[in-house]
């Protein structure tokens, strides 16, 4: 946590949560069932990955009872996630085909570029560039990448547009 949020001194002492890459905050539950868990969200509007209608403005400590079969995963504001097609139950699918692009709380003027791997070695199939301009995101795709849907996550609201 402290590597991603050096200026937030609270993150320097967190040992029960971590960043999975630069975009996902994972807060595993380490308390008995029925007890409150406590975790920290740094500055910005964080969106729950599994419950996208839930957005929390940080910096804040969150206390809540979490079901034993649930893991807390929060998406950092300004993130663009590229997910494979839903229903795929194996790791060897075509990574650059029929992607769902999820855009989370982009700030005006912010540009995020994501490289999409081919799945073989270090080869890149293409890139997806998202820019927030005049209150609307624009998406530019290069290479052999195809997008099936785009979902925008803003303030706990989700808007999805299918492209195929």
């Amino acid at each position: 946590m402290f590597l991603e949020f050096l200026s937030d001194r609270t993150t320097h002492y967190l040992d029960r949560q971590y960043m999975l890459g630069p975009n996902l905050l994972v807060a595993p539950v380490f308390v008995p069932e029925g007890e409150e868990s406590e975790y920290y969200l740094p500055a910005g509007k964080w969106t729950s990955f599994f419950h996208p209608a839930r957005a929390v403005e940080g910096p804040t400590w969150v206390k809540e009872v979490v079901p034993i079969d649930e893991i807390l995963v929060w998406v950092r504001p300004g993130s663009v996630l590229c997910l494979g097609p839903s229903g795929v139950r194996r790791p060897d699918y075509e990574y650059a085909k029929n992607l769902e692009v999820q855009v989370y709380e982009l700030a005006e003027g912010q540009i995020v570029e994501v490289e999409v791997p081919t799945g073989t070695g270090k080869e890149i199939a293409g890139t997806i560039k998202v820019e927030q301009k005049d209150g609307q995101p624009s998406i530019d795709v290069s290479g052999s990448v195809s997008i099936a849907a785009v979902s925008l996550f803003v303030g706990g609201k989700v808007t999805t547009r299918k492209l195929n």
Side-chain angles (χ1 to χ4, degrees), residues 137-152:
S138 66
I139 299 178
D140 182 38
V141 179
S142 65
S144 60
V145 175
S146 69
I147 298 175
V150 175
S151 297
L152 306 175

Side-chain angles (χ1 to χ4, degrees), residues 89-127:
R89 299 278 186 230
R90 55 181 227 256
D92 59 343
Y93 61 93
E94 292 186 60
Y95 293 154
K97 303 293 181 212
N98 298 318
L99 295 176
E100 181 183 338
V101 177
Q102 296 184 343
V103 180
Y104 292 85
E105 303 286 344
L106 253 73
E108 186 64 32
Q110 184 176 8
I111 299 172
V112 178
E113 196 166 318
V114 179
E115 292 182 334
V116 179
T118 61
T120 56
K122 295 182 181 180
E123 294 177 37
I124 300 298
T127 59

Side-chain angles (χ1 to χ4, degrees), residues 29 33-37 39 64-72:
V29 176
E33 188 172 8
E35 284 189 22
E36 275 189 332
S37 293
Y39 56 94
E64 63 185 331
V65 176
V66 180
I68 196 72
D69 61 346
E70 190 171 308
I71 188 163
L72 297 165

Side-chain angles (χ1 to χ4, degrees), residues 27-63:
V29 176
F30 291 108
V31 297
E33 188 172 8
E35 284 189 22
E36 275 189 332
S37 293
E38 185 175 32
Y39 56 94
Y40 179 75
L41 297 174
K45 184 162 282 192
W46 293 80
T47 304
S48 171
F49 183 79
F50 295 112
H51 306 284
R54 185 171 182 213
V56 175
E57 185 73 38
T60 188
W61 282 94
V62 178
K63 281 185 177 182

